């Protein structure tokens, strides 16, 4: 295999022959019959400098097409670099233009706005920022599997198409093969989904949780990690219509154990980034947000704050100077301004809030003794607000049925979920970590659209 630039840059085997392939970032011609090419192959943030003399084979055939964006293959000798900021460079002995690139290439070597880069989402992985994002995404994905696998959690594949609404928020995309121009209607004039492909109305999943619970109550600790879809009309910098979620489910576990795992998990992932993606993380700190490194180091080294929703409300009511846009009152859901106040201003570290009012949370959460709250928890972090949402699940059959009826959910639609509470029910708990929120937090990127390769948001599913 051809060595990657990240390995070449670490080599000190001066005088040895190397071969490298990549895309031209820039070219600078000297007057004395040679040029400097700067190439990148995506293996790391750093580029490799090549010195190309006009006398070498391939020079005259290539030089016309060797513009920013072109792809090249180079053989040469590894030499110590006299230039600042790099240890090695390559003195080419042979050059071969693989794919030329015309001057109208949109990704020229200058700073482009993130808005513009979204319009060229097919090319933006070649930019420094998106190369770094891609490597961070990759490392975190792997670290997530490592974390769970090393602790004995089994990876479960939950379905993308489903007929149940996990969160009950009515934010689902319908999946249909019915003729939209002329759908079959029932006697009430409503669309008759019994004629649809699945014989009933089906959706893209908003969460793998209900399905993953079935495996938790058979295999013990499990997790799912896949795409989820929400038709929320929130055009914010923290919402996507398609995002990836990691959802562990822990058997024989209560809310305390759930919070412990969430905290250990987040700290572990951020620690891996600091250790294994140091150059990319330094880039984010230098170019995107100069607080990210200090923030991550602080989080890895310290415990999260834990307090109940009720205590959080008291804390927010004390915050006279905050001038919140939305009201603060026991029973109302917290807005991101409230979450951020707690984590950024009051505690200055991640905060786990627990025991939320039952009326603002999903049907499956375990009712507390006070009959007003449920065993839910959210993990809040600076700049983002909620990054994890989880709960202990209602494991008592009758209590769950009663709650569903209260919420106008038809228990028959959830018969299999209820069966788990009839046949050997056990206390269990889990949570969901939004993968893009994690990357956004870890890199300091302002907009969640810039941490996923092809963002899906209201009015935009291009590429
Ligand atoms: O709090 P949520 O809705 O929880 C669940 O879906 C549970 N079923 C999880 C579980 O207990 N297994 O979503 C979990 C996380 C949020 O904390 C947030 O990080 C992320 O998913 N999230 C989004 N990320 C990007 N875009 C959106 N529209 C998101 N909605 C939720
Ligand atoms: Mg939530």
């Amino acid at each position: 295999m051809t060595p990657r630039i990240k390995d070449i840059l670490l080599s000190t085997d001066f005088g040895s022959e190397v071969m490298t392939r990549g895309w031209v970032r820039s070219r600078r011609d000297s007057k004395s019959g040679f040029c400097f090419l700067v190439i990148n192959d995506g293996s790391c943030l750093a580029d490799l400098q090549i010195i190309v003399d006009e006398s070498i084979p391939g020079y005259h055939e290539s030089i016309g097409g060797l513009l920013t964006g072109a792809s090249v293959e180079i053989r040469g000798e590894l030499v110590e670099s006299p230039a600042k900021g790099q240890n090695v460079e390559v003195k080419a002995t042979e050059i071969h233009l693989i794919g030329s690139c015309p001057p109208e290439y949109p990704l020229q070597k200058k700073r482009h706005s993130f808005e513009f880069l979204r319009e060229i989402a097919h090319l933006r992985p070649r930019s420094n920022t998106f190369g770094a994002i891609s490597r961070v995404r990759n490392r975190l994905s792997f670290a997530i599997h490592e974390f769970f696998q090393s602790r004995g959690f089994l990876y479960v594949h939950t379905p993308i198409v489903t007929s149940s609404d996990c969160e009950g928020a009515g934010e689902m995309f319908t999946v249909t093969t019915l003729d939209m121009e002329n759908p079959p209607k029932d006697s009430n004039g409503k669309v008759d989904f019994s004629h649809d492909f699945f014989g009933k109305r089906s959706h893209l999943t908003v969460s793998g949780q209900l399905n993953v619970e079935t495996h938790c109550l058979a295999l013990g600790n499990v997790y799912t990690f896949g795409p989820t879809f929400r038709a929320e009309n929130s055009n914010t910098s923290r919402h996507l219509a398609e995002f990836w979620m990691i959802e562990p489910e822990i058997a024989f576990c209560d809310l305390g154990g759930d919070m412990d795992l969430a905290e250990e998990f987040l700290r572990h992932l951020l620690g891996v980034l600091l250790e294994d993606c140091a150059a990319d993380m330094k880039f984010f700190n230098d170019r995107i947000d100069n607080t990210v490194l200090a923030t991550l180091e602080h989080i890895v080294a310290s415990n999260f704050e834990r307090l109940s929703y009720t205590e959080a409300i008291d804390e927010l009511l004390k915050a006279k100077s905050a001038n919140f846009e939305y009201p603060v009152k026991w029973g109302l859901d917290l807005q991101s301004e409230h979450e951020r106040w707690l984590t950024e201003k009051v505690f200055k570290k991640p905060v786990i809030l627990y025991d939320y009012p039952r009326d603002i949370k999903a049907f499956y959460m375990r009712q507390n003794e006070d009959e007003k709250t449920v065993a839910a928890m959210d993990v809040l972090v600076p700049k983002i607000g909620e990054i994890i949402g989880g709960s202990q699940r209602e494991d008592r059959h009758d209590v769950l049925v009663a709650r569903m009826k209260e919420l106008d959910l038809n228990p028959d639609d959830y018969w299999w979920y209820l069966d788990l509470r009839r046949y050997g029910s056990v206390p269990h708990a889990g949570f969901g970590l939004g993968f893009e929120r994690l990357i956004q937090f870890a890199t300091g990127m302002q907009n969640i659209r810039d941490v996923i390769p092809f963002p899906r948001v209201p009015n935009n599913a291009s590429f």
Side-chain angles (χ1 to χ4, degrees):
M1 276 219 304
T2 318
R4 306 295 308 268
I5 287 178
K6 81 172 177 320
D7 302 316
I8 295 175
L9 289 171
L10 290 174
S11 171
T12 50
D13 198 3
F14 302 121
S16 65
E17 202 204 319
V18 288
M19 149 72 130
T20 177
R21 299 186 183 120
W23 290 268
V24 175
R25 281 287 172 87
S26 65
R27 178 179 114 198
R28 188 158 55 84
D29 294 327
S30 106
K31 292 198 182 74
S32 27
F34 64 93
C35 71
F36 293 105
L37 274 190
V38 170
I39 67 169
N40 187 284
D41 69 356
S43 61
C44 61
L45 188 70
D47 302 318
L48 179 62
Q49 175 158 284
I50 320 275
I51 305 136
V52 189
D53 193 280
E54 66 180 19
S55 64
I56 65 164
Y59 180 89
H60 293 289
E61 298 85 328
S62 312
I63 194 72
L66 267 182
L67 300 180
T68 298
S71 50
V72 285
E73 180 177 288
I74 287 147
R75 276 176 202 282
E77 181 194 334
L78 190 73
V79 295
E80 206 164 352
S81 175
K84 264 222 199 101
Q86 57 187 30
N87 297 325
V88 306
E89 54 190 35
V90 170
K91 202 166 171 309
T93 50
E94 198 180 319
I95 184 161
H96 171 56
L97 177 69
I98 302 174
S100 64
C101 188
E104 63 268 23
Y105 181 55
L107 200 65
Q108 290 299 322
K109 196 180 164 60
K110 60 167 193 166
R111 277 219 194 179
H112 296 285
S113 73
F114 290 135
E115 288 77 13
F116 170 72
L117 289 171
R118 267 173 235 149
E119 290 167 19
I120 52 163
H122 59 308
L123 297 173
R124 70 178 184 168
R126 299 187 192 183
S127 67
N128 279 334
T129 307
F130 290 91
I133 290 286
S134 306
R135 287 182 295 271
V136 161
R137 242 189 116 90
N138 169 68
R139 186 62 191 93
L140 282 175
S141 303
F142 187 43
I144 285 161
H145 288 294
E146 280 175 327
F147 177 88
F148 288 122
Q149 295 292 328
S150 68
R151 284 163 181 76
F153 284 64
L154 297 196
Y155 178 32
V156 175
H157 300 105
T158 49
I160 305 282
V161 177
T162 177
S163 56
S164 31
D165 179 3
C166 176
E167 295 305 308
E171 292 161 341
M172 298 185 298
F173 290 100
T174 297
V175 175
T176 182
T177 54
L178 292 179
D179 177 4
M180 289 290 98
E181 303 289 327
N182 186 21
K185 299 275 179 71
D186 64 15
S187 52
N188 298 320
K190 294 237 165 87
V191 174
D192 185 355
F193 286 97
S194 68
H195 295 285
D196 205 348
F197 187 90
F198 295 109
K200 66 200 289 198
R201 188 164 189 170
S202 302
H203 313 276
L204 294 177
T205 190
V206 296
S207 158
Q209 180 199 321
L210 303 187
N211 295 87
V212 93
E213 282 186 49
T214 63
H215 282 54
C216 178
L217 269 66
L219 302 164
N221 298 347
V222 292
Y223 68 105
T224 178
F225 180 6
T228 51
F229 307 85
R230 295 190 186 180
E232 285 168 289
N233 223 341
S234 14
N235 222 333
T236 80
S237 59
R238 292 169 302 107
H239 288 86
L240 290 165
E242 177 178 300
F243 62 100
W244 288 64
M245 199 175 3
I246 302 99
E247 296 183 273
E249 193 70 30
I250 328 160
F252 307 100
C253 183
D254 62 10
L255 191 67
D258 199 32
M259 294 194 275
D260 291 345
L261 185 76
E263 179 169 343
E264 188 190 349
F265 183 47
L266 260 190
R267 287 168 58 187
H268 174 83
L269 296 178
L270 300 177
V272 167
L273 274 191
L274 289 173
E275 195 133 300
D276 288 359
C277 294
D280 289 323
M281 289 306 300
K282 182 175 180 308
F283 170 83
F284 290 117
N285 200 71
D286 291 347
R287 296 293 193 85
I288 304 294
D289 173 352
N290 63 14
T291 65
V292 283
L293 283 181
T295 305
L296 299 203
E297 279 158 10
H298 174 60
I299 291 178
V300 170
S302 55
N303 292 333
F304 293 7
E305 189 71 34
R306 294 187 193 185
L307 70 161
S308 69
Y309 166 90
T310 304
E311 289 164 331
I313 292 292
D314 290 344
E315 200 59 61
L316 291 168
L317 288 172
K318 281 195 270 173
K320 297 283 178 251
S321 63
N323 284 321
F324 294 127
E325 188 183 336
Y326 293 89
V328 174
K329 192 174 154 221
W330 200 98
L332 296 183
D333 209 355
L334 298 183
Q335 302 297 322
S336 101
E337 57 173 352
H338 307 133
E339 298 173 337
R340 291 185 56 177
W341 180 267
L342 292 169
T343 166
E344 289 169 23
K345 297 283 195 296
V346 184
F347 298 106
K348 300 187 169 56
K349 55 163 141 166
V351 174
I352 310 186
L353 297 189
Y354 57 87
D355 290 348
Y356 279 75
R358 69 205 282 264
D359 293 332
I360 57 171
K361 289 291 183 185
F363 75 94
Y364 54 72
M365 298 187 179
R366 196 174 199 280
Q367 311 277 313
N368 287 326
E369 298 292 304
D370 63 11
E371 296 189 353
K372 291 193 310 208
T373 60
V374 284
M377 63 101 175
D378 276 4
V379 181
L380 319 177
V381 293
K383 301 207 174 116
I384 306 285
E386 178 191 341
I387 194 165
I388 286 180
S391 62
Q392 184 174 342
R393 318 309 187 189
E394 183 54 79
D395 54 320
R396 296 161 297 184
H397 181 269
D398 297 348
V399 181
L400 184 56
V401 171
R403 184 63 185 144
M404 290 175 126
K405 287 186 176 154
E406 257 180 307
L407 291 170
D408 262 341
L409 294 171
N410 182 357
D412 293 343
D413 291 343
Y414 294 87
W415 64 273
W416 55 273
Y417 189 71
L418 288 166
D419 265 3
L420 301 175
R421 278 77 183 156
R422 292 173 61 207
Y423 306 137
S425 189
V426 298
H428 59 293
F431 61 80
L433 166 66
F435 191 45
E436 286 73 23
R437 294 235 179 130
L438 170 69
I439 299 165
Q440 205 186 348
F441 173 62
T443 59
M445 292 293 286
Q446 293 217 329
N447 198 314
I448 199 165
R449 300 167 196 210
D450 299 328
V451 301
I452 187 165
F454 301 104
R456 269 77 182 98
V457 293
N459 295 318
N460 199 344
S462 309
F463 301 97

mmCIF file of all heavy atoms in Angstrom, residues 376-402:
data_model
loop_
_atom_site.group_PDB
_atom_site.id
_atom_site.type_symbol
_atom_site.label_atom_id
_atom_site.label_comp_id
_atom_site.label_asym_id
_atom_site.label_seq_id
_atom_site.Cartn_x
_atom_site.Cartn_y
_atom_site.Cartn_z
ATOM 1 N N ALA A 376 -36.344 10.536 34.980
ATOM 2 C CA ALA A 376 -35.694 10.964 33.731
ATOM 3 C C ALA A 376 -34.420 11.707 34.075
ATOM 4 O O ALA A 376 -34.286 12.233 35.173
ATOM 5 C CB ALA A 376 -36.616 11.894 32.962
ATOM 6 N N MET A 377 -33.502 11.779 33.141
ATOM 7 C CA MET A 377 -32.303 12.606 33.340
ATOM 8 C C MET A 377 -31.851 13.176 32.002
ATOM 9 O O MET A 377 -32.004 12.558 30.961
ATOM 10 C CB MET A 377 -31.181 11.792 33.983
ATOM 11 C CG MET A 377 -30.668 10.640 33.152
ATOM 12 S SD MET A 377 -29.119 11.093 32.342
ATOM 13 C CE MET A 377 -28.650 9.555 31.579
ATOM 14 N N ASP A 378 -31.332 14.403 32.063
ATOM 15 C CA ASP A 378 -30.729 15.032 30.879
ATOM 16 C C ASP A 378 -29.320 15.460 31.266
ATOM 17 O O ASP A 378 -29.123 15.985 32.363
ATOM 18 C CB ASP A 378 -31.503 16.293 30.464
ATOM 19 C CG ASP A 378 -32.715 15.970 29.585
ATOM 20 O OD1 ASP A 378 -33.000 14.783 29.358
ATOM 21 O OD2 ASP A 378 -33.375 16.940 29.143
ATOM 22 N N VAL A 379 -28.377 15.261 30.366
ATOM 23 C CA VAL A 379 -27.029 15.783 30.593
ATOM 24 C C VAL A 379 -26.889 17.069 29.777
ATOM 25 O O VAL A 379 -27.170 17.088 28.574
ATOM 26 C CB VAL A 379 -25.941 14.772 30.159
ATOM 27 C CG1 VAL A 379 -24.546 15.341 30.431
ATOM 28 C CG2 VAL A 379 -26.119 13.435 30.882
ATOM 29 N N LEU A 380 -26.496 18.131 30.465
ATOM 30 C CA LEU A 380 -26.363 19.445 29.822
ATOM 31 C C LEU A 380 -24.894 19.842 29.769
ATOM 32 O O LEU A 380 -24.171 19.637 30.742
ATOM 33 C CB LEU A 380 -27.117 20.503 30.629
ATOM 34 C CG LEU A 380 -28.486 20.111 31.188
ATOM 35 C CD1 LEU A 380 -29.061 21.258 32.024
ATOM 36 C CD2 LEU A 380 -29.434 19.766 30.033
ATOM 37 N N VAL A 381 -24.487 20.408 28.645
ATOM 38 C CA VAL A 381 -23.097 20.877 28.535
ATOM 39 C C VAL A 381 -23.081 22.321 28.014
ATOM 40 O O VAL A 381 -24.024 22.763 27.358
ATOM 41 C CB VAL A 381 -22.255 19.985 27.581
ATOM 42 C CG1 VAL A 381 -22.058 18.594 28.154
ATOM 43 C CG2 VAL A 381 -22.874 19.923 26.196
ATOM 44 N N PRO A 382 -21.995 23.052 28.312
ATOM 45 C CA PRO A 382 -21.902 24.443 27.857
ATOM 46 C C PRO A 382 -22.073 24.573 26.336
ATOM 47 O O PRO A 382 -21.674 23.679 25.590
ATOM 48 C CB PRO A 382 -20.476 24.848 28.258
ATOM 49 C CG PRO A 382 -20.125 23.942 29.390
ATOM 50 C CD PRO A 382 -20.838 22.657 29.132
ATOM 51 N N LYS A 383 -22.670 25.675 25.927
ATOM 52 C CA LYS A 383 -22.867 26.050 24.512
ATOM 53 C C LYS A 383 -23.912 25.223 23.778
ATOM 54 O O LYS A 383 -24.469 25.664 22.790
ATOM 55 C CB LYS A 383 -21.563 25.990 23.717
ATOM 56 C CG LYS A 383 -20.532 26.918 24.302
ATOM 57 C CD LYS A 383 -19.537 27.380 23.282
ATOM 58 C CE LYS A 383 -18.628 28.403 23.905
ATOM 59 N NZ LYS A 383 -17.257 28.001 23.984
ATOM 60 N N ILE A 384 -24.171 23.994 24.219
ATOM 61 C CA ILE A 384 -25.107 23.131 23.515
ATOM 62 C C ILE A 384 -26.407 23.010 24.299
ATOM 63 O O ILE A 384 -27.497 23.024 23.737
ATOM 64 C CB ILE A 384 -24.507 21.704 23.340
ATOM 65 C CG1 ILE A 384 -23.141 21.761 22.665
ATOM 66 C CG2 ILE A 384 -25.468 20.790 22.604
ATOM 67 C CD1 ILE A 384 -23.160 22.044 21.201
ATOM 68 N N GLY A 385 -26.295 22.903 25.623
ATOM 69 C CA GLY A 385 -27.469 22.547 26.423
ATOM 70 C C GLY A 385 -27.562 21.032 26.449
ATOM 71 O O GLY A 385 -26.563 20.340 26.656
ATOM 72 N N GLU A 386 -28.763 20.488 26.165
ATOM 73 C CA GLU A 386 -28.963 19.033 26.278
ATOM 74 C C GLU A 386 -28.133 18.266 25.245
ATOM 75 O O GLU A 386 -28.234 18.495 24.051
ATOM 76 C CB GLU A 386 -30.443 18.709 26.075
ATOM 77 C CG GLU A 386 -30.698 17.211 26.132
ATOM 78 C CD GLU A 386 -32.100 16.822 25.681
ATOM 79 O OE1 GLU A 386 -33.004 17.675 25.661
ATOM 80 O OE2 GLU A 386 -32.276 15.633 25.340
ATOM 81 N N ILE A 387 -27.333 17.341 25.736
ATOM 82 C CA ILE A 387 -26.553 16.494 24.826
ATOM 83 C C ILE A 387 -26.990 15.033 24.962
ATOM 84 O O ILE A 387 -26.878 14.257 24.017
ATOM 85 C CB ILE A 387 -25.030 16.687 25.087
ATOM 86 C CG1 ILE A 387 -24.178 16.104 23.961
ATOM 87 C CG2 ILE A 387 -24.600 16.099 26.420
ATOM 88 C CD1 ILE A 387 -22.727 16.590 23.984
ATOM 89 N N ILE A 388 -27.514 14.681 26.150
ATOM 90 C CA ILE A 388 -28.010 13.325 26.405
ATOM 91 C C ILE A 388 -29.379 13.429 27.065
ATOM 92 O O ILE A 388 -29.588 14.289 27.923
ATOM 93 C CB ILE A 388 -27.046 12.563 27.365
ATOM 94 C CG1 ILE A 388 -25.766 12.149 26.639
ATOM 95 C CG2 ILE A 388 -27.728 11.345 27.997
ATOM 96 C CD1 ILE A 388 -24.766 11.390 27.509
ATOM 97 N N GLY A 389 -30.293 12.540 26.664
ATOM 98 C CA GLY A 389 -31.571 12.406 27.363
ATOM 99 C C GLY A 389 -31.764 10.942 27.692
ATOM 100 O O GLY A 389 -31.543 10.089 26.841
ATOM 101 N N GLY A 390 -32.161 10.648 28.924
ATOM 102 C CA GLY A 390 -32.343 9.235 29.275
ATOM 103 C C GLY A 390 -33.321 9.067 30.416
ATOM 104 O O GLY A 390 -33.894 10.045 30.915
ATOM 105 N N SER A 391 -33.515 7.831 30.827
ATOM 106 C CA SER A 391 -34.449 7.562 31.924
ATOM 107 C C SER A 391 -34.340 6.119 32.394
ATOM 108 O O SER A 391 -33.832 5.262 31.670
ATOM 109 C CB SER A 391 -35.897 7.805 31.483
ATOM 110 O OG SER A 391 -36.247 6.931 30.426
ATOM 111 N N GLN A 392 -34.869 5.884 33.599
ATOM 112 C CA GLN A 392 -35.200 4.522 33.989
ATOM 113 C C GLN A 392 -36.555 4.247 33.355
ATOM 114 O O GLN A 392 -37.411 5.128 33.272
ATOM 115 C CB GLN A 392 -35.271 4.406 35.515
ATOM 116 C CG GLN A 392 -35.531 2.976 35.970
ATOM 117 C CD GLN A 392 -35.460 2.817 37.486
ATOM 118 O OE1 GLN A 392 -34.899 3.663 38.181
ATOM 119 N NE2 GLN A 392 -36.030 1.730 37.975
ATOM 120 N N ARG A 393 -36.764 3.036 32.869
ATOM 121 C CA ARG A 393 -38.009 2.733 32.152
ATOM 122 C C ARG A 393 -39.075 2.229 33.125
ATOM 123 O O ARG A 393 -38.761 1.557 34.110
ATOM 124 C CB ARG A 393 -37.761 1.674 31.083
ATOM 125 C CG ARG A 393 -36.484 1.834 30.275
ATOM 126 C CD ARG A 393 -36.290 3.217 29.685
ATOM 127 N NE ARG A 393 -35.110 3.246 28.774
ATOM 128 C CZ ARG A 393 -34.612 4.333 28.262
ATOM 129 N NH1 ARG A 393 -35.121 5.522 28.556
ATOM 130 N NH2 ARG A 393 -33.570 4.270 27.438
ATOM 131 N N GLU A 394 -40.322 2.525 32.788
ATOM 132 C CA GLU A 394 -41.418 2.002 33.608
ATOM 133 C C GLU A 394 -41.486 0.500 33.395
ATOM 134 O O GLU A 394 -41.766 0.035 32.300
ATOM 135 C CB GLU A 394 -42.745 2.665 33.196
ATOM 136 C CG GLU A 394 -43.919 2.233 34.042
ATOM 137 C CD GLU A 394 -43.644 2.439 35.529
ATOM 138 O OE1 GLU A 394 -43.753 3.590 36.017
ATOM 139 O OE2 GLU A 394 -43.295 1.438 36.202
ATOM 140 N N ASP A 395 -41.152 -0.257 34.439
ATOM 141 C CA ASP A 395 -41.105 -1.717 34.290
ATOM 142 C C ASP A 395 -42.350 -2.378 34.876
ATOM 143 O O ASP A 395 -42.470 -3.602 34.833
ATOM 144 C CB ASP A 395 -39.833 -2.276 34.941
ATOM 145 C CG ASP A 395 -39.682 -1.834 36.393
ATOM 146 O OD1 ASP A 395 -39.978 -0.657 36.695
ATOM 147 O OD2 ASP A 395 -39.283 -2.665 37.227
ATOM 148 N N ARG A 396 -43.288 -1.578 35.436
ATOM 149 C CA ARG A 396 -44.505 -2.150 36.022
ATOM 150 C C ARG A 396 -45.633 -2.086 34.988
ATOM 151 O O ARG A 396 -46.032 -1.000 34.560
ATOM 152 C CB ARG A 396 -44.883 -1.369 37.292
ATOM 153 C CG ARG A 396 -43.830 -1.486 38.394
ATOM 154 C CD ARG A 396 -43.969 -0.394 39.430
ATOM 155 N NE ARG A 396 -43.754 0.945 38.879
ATOM 156 C CZ ARG A 396 -43.741 2.059 39.606
ATOM 157 N NH1 ARG A 396 -43.941 2.020 40.914
ATOM 158 N NH2 ARG A 396 -43.541 3.231 39.024
ATOM 159 N N HIS A 397 -46.122 -3.255 34.634
ATOM 160 C CA HIS A 397 -47.097 -3.370 33.555
ATOM 161 C C HIS A 397 -48.301 -2.449 33.757
ATOM 162 O O HIS A 397 -48.651 -1.654 32.883
ATOM 163 C CB HIS A 397 -47.546 -4.831 33.437
ATOM 164 C CG HIS A 397 -48.523 -5.062 32.333
ATOM 165 N ND1 HIS A 397 -49.902 -4.990 32.523
ATOM 166 C CD2 HIS A 397 -48.353 -5.331 31.014
ATOM 167 C CE1 HIS A 397 -50.499 -5.216 31.369
ATOM 168 N NE2 HIS A 397 -49.584 -5.425 30.440
ATOM 169 N N ASP A 398 -48.913 -2.535 34.931
ATOM 170 C CA ASP A 398 -50.171 -1.807 35.121
ATOM 171 C C ASP A 398 -49.959 -0.298 35.152
ATOM 172 O O ASP A 398 -50.782 0.472 34.645
ATOM 173 C CB ASP A 398 -50.863 -2.282 36.408
ATOM 174 C CG ASP A 398 -51.234 -3.759 36.289
ATOM 175 O OD1 ASP A 398 -51.165 -4.297 35.159
ATOM 176 O OD2 ASP A 398 -51.567 -4.371 37.325
ATOM 177 N N VAL A 399 -48.854 0.086 35.747
ATOM 178 C CA VAL A 399 -48.560 1.527 35.803
ATOM 179 C C VAL A 399 -48.339 2.059 34.381
ATOM 180 O O VAL A 399 -48.813 3.142 34.016
ATOM 181 C CB VAL A 399 -47.304 1.794 36.669
ATOM 182 C CG1 VAL A 399 -47.007 3.284 36.754
ATOM 183 C CG2 VAL A 399 -47.483 1.201 38.066
ATOM 184 N N LEU A 400 -47.668 1.267 33.566
ATOM 185 C CA LEU A 400 -47.392 1.694 32.188
ATOM 186 C C LEU A 400 -48.679 1.792 31.367
ATOM 187 O O LEU A 400 -48.894 2.775 30.643
ATOM 188 C CB LEU A 400 -46.398 0.717 31.537
ATOM 189 C CG LEU A 400 -45.917 1.075 30.127
ATOM 190 C CD1 LEU A 400 -45.301 2.468 30.072
ATOM 191 C CD2 LEU A 400 -44.877 0.048 29.635
ATOM 192 N N VAL A 401 -49.545 0.788 31.516
ATOM 193 C CA VAL A 401 -50.814 0.815 30.772
ATOM 194 C C VAL A 401 -51.630 2.044 31.180
ATOM 195 O O VAL A 401 -52.163 2.770 30.328
ATOM 196 C CB VAL A 401 -51.628 -0.486 31.013
ATOM 197 C CG1 VAL A 401 -53.029 -0.364 30.431
ATOM 198 C CG2 VAL A 401 -50.891 -1.684 30.409
ATOM 199 N N ALA A 402 -51.676 2.296 32.481
ATOM 200 C CA ALA A 402 -52.463 3.439 32.960
ATOM 201 C C ALA A 402 -51.901 4.744 32.371
ATOM 202 O O ALA A 402 -52.655 5.626 31.945
ATOM 203 C CB ALA A 402 -52.436 3.493 34.489
#
